[in-house]
């Protein structure tokens, strides 16, 4: 009996109550916090890097400058439109850009056929002389047109053959009665790589860096005559 009297019943009761409460708490909270089965990890797809493709930058469109109708040059252009059905200054400048690119590259490569199709006989002769001199010296012209920035009509005139400078166009042969010659001068601003090398590939003139060029090109045609190739032909060029 003394042994039973020595048992601390109050402590035993508190211990049992603690165990019971702990079990009940585990039943309620343990599954939610630390004992419950962990949810399956969420698989997040990782985007694979795509190959980067360099998109070439489009060359900016060249700006066109056309004299106002009320100016002297504008009035000459209006008269040309009455003599050449379908003549539109904007369209003419687009054609000039095409001719500019063609002639510059044809002169660099020595393509006489392209030059003959777009130049007056006098201009063609001058270009061929320059080509032959360059080839005789063993020189090579490297040209790349990076961009044509602007084209502006600077001057225009209508002349009766014999009253102005001698006609150098393909229309020199044949009758000249009641024929008039038109002239339009265009300022062309471009960005180019232009480099002339000697026979040993050493630089003579120019640079491999992109350089801005300003050129005045004069185009001519005789109205009332059918000619092969371009109707407006390049008659002269000079630096602006």
């Amino acid at each position: 009996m003394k042994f039973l009297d020595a048992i601390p019943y109050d402590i035993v009761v508190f211990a049992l109550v603690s165990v019971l409460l702990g079990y009940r708490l585990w039943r309620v909270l343990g599954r939610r916090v630390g004992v419950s089965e962990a949810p399956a990890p969420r698989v997040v797809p990782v985007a694979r890097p795509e190959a980067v493709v360099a998109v070439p930058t489009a060359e900016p469109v060249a700006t066109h400058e056309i004299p106002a109708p009320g100016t002297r040059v504008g009035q000459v252009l209006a008269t040309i439109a009455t003599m050449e059905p379908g003549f539109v200054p904007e369209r003419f400048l687009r054609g000039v850009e095409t001719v500019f690119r063609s002639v510059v590259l044809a002169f660099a490569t020595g393509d006489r056929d392209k030059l003959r199709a777009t130049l007056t006989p006098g201009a063609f002769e001058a270009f061929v002389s320059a080509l032959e001199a360059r080839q005789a010296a063993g020189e090579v012209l490297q040209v790349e047109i990076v961009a044509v920035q602007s084209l502006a009509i600077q001057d225009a005139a209508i002349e009766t053959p014999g009253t102005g400078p001698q006609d150098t166009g393909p229309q020199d042969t044949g009758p000249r009665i009641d024929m008039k010659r038109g002239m339009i001068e265009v300022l062309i601003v471009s960005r180019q790589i232009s480099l002339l090398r000697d026979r040993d590939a050493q630089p003579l003139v120019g640079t491999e860096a992109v350089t801005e060029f300003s050129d005045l090109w004069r185009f001519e045609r005789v109205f009332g005559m059918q000619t092969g190739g371009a109707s407006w032909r390049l008659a002269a060029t000079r630096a602006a």
Side-chain angles (χ1 to χ4, degrees):
M1 294 298 293
K2 291 181 178 181
F3 174 74
L4 294 177
D5 292 338
I7 295 175
Y9 291 102
D10 54 345
I11 295 176
V12 172
V13 172
F14 282 123
L16 291 175
V17 171
S18 299
V19 171
L20 179 61
L21 289 176
Y23 175 74
R24 292 293 301 273
L25 287 173
W26 177 84
R27 289 287 303 273
V28 176
L29 302 177
R31 295 178 182 273
R32 297 181 183 177
V33 180
V35 184
S36 61
E37 182 179 355
R42 181 183 178 187
V43 179
V44 179
V46 179
R48 299 177 60 184
E50 299 291 340
V52 178
V53 179
V55 179
T57 304
E59 179 181 326
V61 178
T63 60
H64 293 170
E65 295 182 23
I66 300 170
T71 63
R72 180 191 65 81
V73 176
Q75 292 174 356
V76 173
L77 295 175
T79 302
I80 290 176
T82 65
M83 302 171 69
E84 178 185 337
F87 176 83
V88 178
E90 184 77 19
R91 187 184 306 160
F92 171 80
L93 288 179
R94 289 198 296 268
V96 168
E97 180 176 352
T98 300
V99 171
F100 176 78
R101 293 176 180 275
S102 176
V103 169
V104 169
L105 297 181
F107 180 68
T109 59
D111 191 334
R112 288 169 170 78
D113 290 337
K114 284 188 177 180
L115 294 175
R116 185 180 291 107
T118 52
L119 273 60
T120 63
F124 177 74
E125 183 179 345
F127 271 66
V128 170
S129 296
L131 280 175
E132 292 175 347
R134 191 178 73 203
Q135 292 170 350
E139 298 169 349
V140 176
L141 180 60
Q142 172 192 347
V143 173
E144 177 186 348
I145 299 176
V146 178
V148 176
Q149 296 173 280
S150 64
L151 301 101
I153 295 178
Q154 299 290 293
D155 196 9
I158 300 173
E159 301 171 343
T160 300
T163 62
Q166 184 178 358
D167 188 18
T168 57
Q171 309 87 348
D172 286 339
T173 59
R176 304 167 71 97
I177 300 175
D178 296 331
M179 291 182 182
K180 294 184 180 295
R181 179 182 60 193
M183 181 279 294
I184 300 178
E185 192 171 60
V186 181
L187 173 64
I188 306 171
V189 179
S190 63
R191 298 174 66 239
Q192 303 179 34
I193 297 174
S194 181
L195 179 61
L196 181 66
R197 299 179 184 272
D198 63 17
R199 63 175 69 253
D200 298 322
Q202 296 301 313
L204 289 175
V205 181
T207 174
E208 291 183 338
V210 178
T211 307
E212 183 176 285
F213 290 83
S214 296
D215 300 283
L216 281 168
W217 283 29
R218 190 176 80 240
F219 293 83
E220 296 179 355
R221 73 157 297 175
V222 170
F223 302 105
M225 290 192 66
Q226 296 294 329
T227 61
S231 57
W232 287 91
R233 288 177 175 255
L234 178 62
T237 67
R238 61 185 175 90

